[in-house]
Amino acid sequence: MLQTVIGTVAVAYIAILLTLTVFQRFFIYPALKGEGRDVPGFEQVLYPTADGLDLMAGYKPAGDGKPTIVYFHGNGADWQSSVVATDRLTPAGYGVFAAEYRGYRGNPGSPSEDGLYADGRAALTWLKQRGVAGGDIVLVGNSIGSGVASQLATEFDPRALVLISPFASLPQIAGEKLWWLPVRAVLRDQFDNKAKIGEIAAPILLLHGDADTLIPDHHSRELAAMNSAARLVIFPNAGHELAWHDAAEREMLAFLEELDAQDRNR
């Protein structure tokens, strides 16, 4: 009987590991389908990726002299939710490009780490073609979007980088959650923010809730330790929904206005 129990557990363990290995991107990217709702004040725009996809997202131009926020949402959200997460910034004149990913909200393609990076590059190229320079762009990434924003901050020269509820890396957070499985060995997508953040010269703001049970705040603390110039703000009693809290938006707005003031005083 003991052998039977051990054999059953072993078969179940292998089945779970195989399921995770084969369907990992289904679990990592639970893409919302359909085009979603129209958002007043935002134009739906199409922009091409380098690998031949046309993506749809939302755009609101900046006011005179204000930068444009390029917002990369979390894995279970959509570009329309990014509008809600920036609704205290647009009244202040900041533009918002609410980026979307392949496979999300009616967009073609299937999401992956390299695919999301390509989608982010396409968004910045679209803005550049319309006269929005890198120095007038603020990259913002929430949750898995932190991986896209961090990567682009190593390739371009943004005005600033804001990471909300980020992880140090995807294998690290997956390994912490599924400690009983060798997930680090089977994950194809890495999103290694910790390896990149030290290379980023732009001003960095890290926002995290100390009640975040999905991605604990020690991930932001580890990221802050890798770049001495990074500013870390921990919000008491806030969970993984921090991006939609007014307090987080106010902190981001104060950070950007401080950068504006520093530029005016030079």
Side-chain angles (χ1 to χ4, degrees):
M1 181 174 294
L2 179 59
Q3 289 179 338
T4 301
V5 171
I6 292 173
T8 301
V9 170
V11 169
Y13 183 90
I14 293 170
I16 292 171
L17 182 59
L18 285 174
T19 300
L20 175 64
T21 302
V22 174
F23 297 105
Q24 58 184 270
R25 285 182 173 147
F26 174 82
F27 298 118
I28 295 171
Y29 310 103
L32 298 177
K33 305 301 181 181
E35 293 186 2
R37 67 190 186 284
D38 292 333
V39 179
F42 277 74
E43 174 190 2
Q44 288 194 3
V45 299
L46 282 175
Y47 53 107
T49 67
D51 55 347
L53 302 180
D54 288 325
L55 303 182
M56 182 175 65
Y59 178 56
K60 182 180 180 64
D64 291 342
K66 288 291 187 180
T68 296
I69 293 163
V70 181
Y71 197 103
F72 299 102
H73 63 72
N75 67 340
D78 56 16
W79 77 259
Q80 288 92 346
S81 70
S82 303
V83 172
V84 178
T86 55
D87 60 5
R88 285 188 174 274
L89 297 162
T90 50
Y94 291 90
V96 173
F97 191 104
E100 193 52 284
Y101 307 137
R102 61 189 61 206
Y104 279 73
R105 283 303 189 197
N107 281 333
S110 298
S112 66
E113 179 180 11
D114 288 341
L116 266 60
Y117 292 163
D119 300 343
R121 294 182 192 110
L124 297 188
T125 298
W126 189 90
L127 286 169
K128 181 179 179 181
Q129 291 170 347
R130 282 150 186 81
V132 182
D136 291 324
I137 286 175
V138 177
L139 298 173
V140 179
N142 178 40
S143 193
I144 205 168
S146 67
V148 186
S150 295
Q151 175 63 31
L152 294 179
T154 68
E155 300 179 15
F156 297 85
D157 188 19
R159 179 172 183 77
L161 171 67
V162 180
L163 303 181
I164 308 169
S165 308
F167 45 63
S169 73
L170 188 58
Q172 179 174 329
I173 185 61
E176 291 172 1
K177 296 296 182 182
L178 301 173
W179 53 267
W180 47 280
L181 286 170
V183 291
R184 294 173 186 261
V186 301
L187 277 178
R188 294 193 288 273
D189 295 343
Q190 302 293 301
F191 292 107
D192 195 348
N193 295 334
K194 193 172 180 179
K196 299 170 186 175
I197 196 166
E199 308 171 18
I200 298 169
I204 300 172
L205 176 65
L206 299 166
L207 307 177
H208 219 119
D210 70 359
D212 191 334
T213 57
L214 183 61
I215 303 176
D217 63 355
H218 71 81
H219 283 260
S220 275
R221 296 181 189 276
E222 290 181 27
L223 291 174
M226 301 301 295
N227 191 316
S228 60
R231 181 182 302 181
L232 172 63
V233 181
I234 302 295
F235 294 81
N237 305 315
H240 198 65
E241 75 290 346
L242 175 65
W244 295 280
H245 284 204
D246 283 348
E249 284 198 70
R250 287 195 296 267
E251 193 68 41
M252 184 160 42
L253 181 59
F255 173 71
L256 297 178
E257 290 181 341
E258 181 181 326
L259 294 180
D260 289 343
Q262 290 172 358
D263 286 348
R264 289 194 299 269
N265 292 332
R266 284 175 184 168

